[in-house]
Amino acid sequence: MSIAARVADEIGEFLHVAVLWFLLNSAAAPVNVVVSALPFPLERRLWHAAVLSAVGVGVVRYYDPSWELVRGFVVGVATTATFASLYVFSGLSRAVVEGGSWLAVAAVAGFWVVGVAVGVALAHPLTWRRLRTSVAVE
């Protein structure tokens, strides 16, 4: 393998990881809401989601290096949509704005975990196959 081909492969791999990080960052963004729901004052920093999505990319690349970017998109969108709908319809946004509480932290963290579970379930290939066979028109 020539050096030019090797460099092109490494640049492609870097871009794949960078885009995957960007896509999974939307799945980790609700962590910033969880942190803001804490009942004690904490400086608002937006690095919580960035670090968590970097860890997520590391885990994904370790366990399944062939993970497609479409799966990352599905996880990000499904997590964000599920979390946002649960958060908005629960009415906890007012409690978070008023200073938070431990109950709000637990509920918001639970909403995020449910959102991640929905996103991962939708992105998993076996889940997709089961869904396609159950919806398939014969």
Side-chain angles (χ1 to χ4, degrees):
M1 180 179 257
S2 70
I3 292 185
R6 175 83 177 164
V7 168
D9 284 345
E10 292 301 322
I11 289 173
E13 183 67 25
F14 175 76
L15 290 175
H16 186 266
V17 168
V19 171
L20 186 60
W21 176 82
F22 178 74
L23 293 172
L24 290 181
N25 197 24
S26 63
V31 170
N32 295 326
V33 178
V34 174
V35 170
S36 66
L38 289 170
F40 51 86
L42 191 65
E43 284 186 48
R44 287 193 77 127
R45 295 195 177 135
L46 300 177
W47 59 267
H48 304 289
V51 170
L52 193 59
S53 61
V55 170
V57 168
V59 168
V60 165
R61 298 295 292 168
Y62 179 77
Y63 285 109
D64 190 5
S66 67
W67 230 56
E68 302 152 359
L69 295 178
V70 173
R71 289 187 195 176
F73 177 75
V74 169
V75 169
V77 168
T79 301
T80 302
T82 304
F83 173 79
S85 62
L86 290 173
Y87 181 66
V88 168
F89 290 124
S90 70
L92 283 175
S93 58
R94 187 177 49 197
V96 171
V97 170
E98 291 174 355
S101 66
W102 289 111
L103 181 61
V105 171
V108 172
F111 294 159
W112 177 66
V113 168
V114 168
V116 169
V118 167
V120 170
L122 288 175
H124 192 266
L126 184 59
T127 305
W128 279 116
R129 276 185 245 134
R130 287 180 183 162
L131 181 66
R132 279 194 326 234
T133 57
S134 67
V135 178
V137 177
E138 294 179 13

